[in-house]
């Protein structure tokens, strides 16, 4: 049995390969000792680790685990998912929207870190709590999908008020920039606020990703990370915004397990 683990800032992603069958599971990073206890009961497993908490997890388990650098592991995992889905891309940007967001350029067999932003899954969780008091991630995502961003975000067309716009009118001019215009005759529900949180995170991630795509002269952008899990609105914002800016977005099923699968493949 082979086990690949990406122990991240928020979630521990686990890939298990047993008799050619690949299965996935995840656990909050706060439960790292439970993951260690589970590994201790599987002393013969070949274990490969990656992620920010890999060294700490190694200190808790009996196996002498293989360890790889997170960026290399994620790249290797993405390659194997793309192959599995018959998606052949000679070059692309990938954006890993985890607790924070890391952006990389891939050219054939090499990956290069192209940048990052603090806007990501941690910002979704923190800002959602500050604005609404909600901490449960699935409640955040389902309520965001029911919210209305138009009252909160200022679009280019709102500023031009029917005049011809020099850039697409549906582009956001100012995230949260419509609040003071609408504060006297509209109410902002928790759902609306959560929708605007997905807006600012999704648009920030996309903007940085497509700038990297332009810099490295590729049109493909692959998005992964647990922030997209059950998060229809974040996916939609990122997908629409990438297309609107003239690039091609890809979402990989189980992509958040790229690091876990990758470190196992590199072992
Ligand atoms: P990391 O490796 O940094 O832990 P992930 O790719 O696992 O990154 O993404 C973490 C983000 O995923 C969280 O910040 C949150 O936005 C989102 N998320 C998805 N599902 C959950 C969950 N069940 N619990 C907490 N966060 C979740």
């Amino acid at each position: 049995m082979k086990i690949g683990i990406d122990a991240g800032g928020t979630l521990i992603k686990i890939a298990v390969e047993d008799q050619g069958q690949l299965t996935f599971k995840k656990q909050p990073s706060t439960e790292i000792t439970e993951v260690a206890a589970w590994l201790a009961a599987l002393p013969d497993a070949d274990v490969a680790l990656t992620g920010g908490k890999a060294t700490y997890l190694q200190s808790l388990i009996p196996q002498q685990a293989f360890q790889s650098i997170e960026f290399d592991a994620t790249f290797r995992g993405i390659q194997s998912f793309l192959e599995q889905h018959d998606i052949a891309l000679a070059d692309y940007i990938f954006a890993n929207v985890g607790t924070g967001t890391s952006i990389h350029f891939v050219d054939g067999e090499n990956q290069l870190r192209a940048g990052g932003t603090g806007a990501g899954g941690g910002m979704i969780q923190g800002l959602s709590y500050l604005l609404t008091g909600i901490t449960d991630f699935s409640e955040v995502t389902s309520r965001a999908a029911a919210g209305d961003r138009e009252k909160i975000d200022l679009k280019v067309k709102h500023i031009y008020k029917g005049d011809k716009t020099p850039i697409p009118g549906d582009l956001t001019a100012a995230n949260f920039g419509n609040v003071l215009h609408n504060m006297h005759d509209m109410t902002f529900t928790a759902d609306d606020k959560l929708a605007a949180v997905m807006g600012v995170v999704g648009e920030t991630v996309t903007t940085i990703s497509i700038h990297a795509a332009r810099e490295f002269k590729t049109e493909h952008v692959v998005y992964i990370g647990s922030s997209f899990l059950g998060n229809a609105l974040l996916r939609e914002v990122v997908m629409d915004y990438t297309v609107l800016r003239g690039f091609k977005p890809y979402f990989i099923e189980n992509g958040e397990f790229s690091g876990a699968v990758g470190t196992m493949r590199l072992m």
Side-chain angles (χ1 to χ4, degrees):
M1 179 192 277
K2 283 185 184 175
I3 300 174
I5 299 183
D6 175 6
T10 307
L11 297 171
I12 300 173
K13 278 76 61 184
I14 303 172
V16 178
E17 192 168 62
D18 198 13
Q19 293 168 7
Q21 258 320 83
L22 197 56
T23 51
F24 302 114
K25 60 177 183 164
K26 60 176 88 62
Q27 233 163 307
S29 301
T30 48
E31 294 173 9
I32 197 162
T33 51
E34 290 168 33
V35 173
W38 171 73
L39 286 170
L42 300 166
D44 297 329
D46 292 322
V47 180
L49 304 176
T50 194
K53 295 194 188 316
T55 302
Y56 177 53
L57 181 57
Q58 173 64 80
S59 74
L60 303 174
I61 62 175
Q63 295 92 344
Q64 187 52 51
F66 167 83
Q67 270 196 47
S68 63
I69 296 167
E70 187 177 350
F71 300 156
D72 296 332
T74 305
F75 170 41
R76 183 66 192 82
I78 290 176
Q79 277 182 311
S80 95
F81 280 125
L82 289 177
E83 272 164 33
Q84 204 181 310
H85 291 101
D86 283 327
I87 303 172
L89 304 175
D91 47 43
Y92 57 92
I93 291 293
F94 73 82
N96 187 358
V97 190
T99 308
T101 299
S102 193
I103 291 166
H104 306 254
F105 172 60
V106 174
D107 184 9
E109 290 301 304
N110 303 302
Q111 71 83 21
L112 179 76
R113 189 163 190 274
T117 168
M123 183 171 168
I124 292 174
Q125 293 187 287
L127 202 48
S128 295
Y129 171 72
L130 288 177
L131 292 172
T132 69
I134 300 170
T135 54
D136 180 70
F137 188 73
S138 61
E139 186 179 351
V140 166
T141 55
S142 61
R143 293 189 65 167
D148 175 14
R149 288 176 60 199
E150 290 263 330
K151 297 179 219 171
I152 294 180
D153 291 336
L154 189 70
K155 289 189 167 185
V156 170
K157 67 181 179 195
H158 293 138
I159 300 178
Y160 280 75
K161 289 211 189 308
D163 250 9
K164 199 169 171 300
T165 58
I167 51 174
D170 269 327
L171 282 175
T172 304
N175 294 89
F176 294 90
N178 224 359
V179 170
L180 297 197
H181 298 133
N182 292 330
M183 61 192 268
H184 296 301
D185 38 35
M186 289 187 192
T187 52
F188 308 109
T189 67
D191 295 13
D192 299 336
K193 293 175 192 173
L194 294 171
V197 168
M198 297 309 170
V200 69
V201 171
E203 290 173 0
T204 303
V205 164
T206 310
T207 299
I208 291 173
S209 301
I210 61 183
H211 280 185
R214 202 176 283 154
E215 184 185 342
F216 288 97
K217 299 184 173 40
T218 178
E219 57 178 347
H220 311 287
V221 188
V222 175
Y223 294 99
I224 60 163
S226 308
S227 305
F228 293 109
L229 277 179
N231 200 342
L233 183 59
L234 187 70
R235 277 171 191 251
E236 187 188 307
V237 168
V238 167
M239 173 92 77
D240 291 354
Y241 212 57
T242 307
V243 172
L244 184 72
R245 302 293 296 267
F247 294 83
K248 294 184 177 149
Y250 302 81
F251 288 92
I252 308 178
E253 200 192 331
N254 294 320
E256 69 276 16
F257 292 99
S258 295
V261 169
T263 193
M264 185 162 78
R265 294 284 175 253
L266 289 170
M267 176 161 54

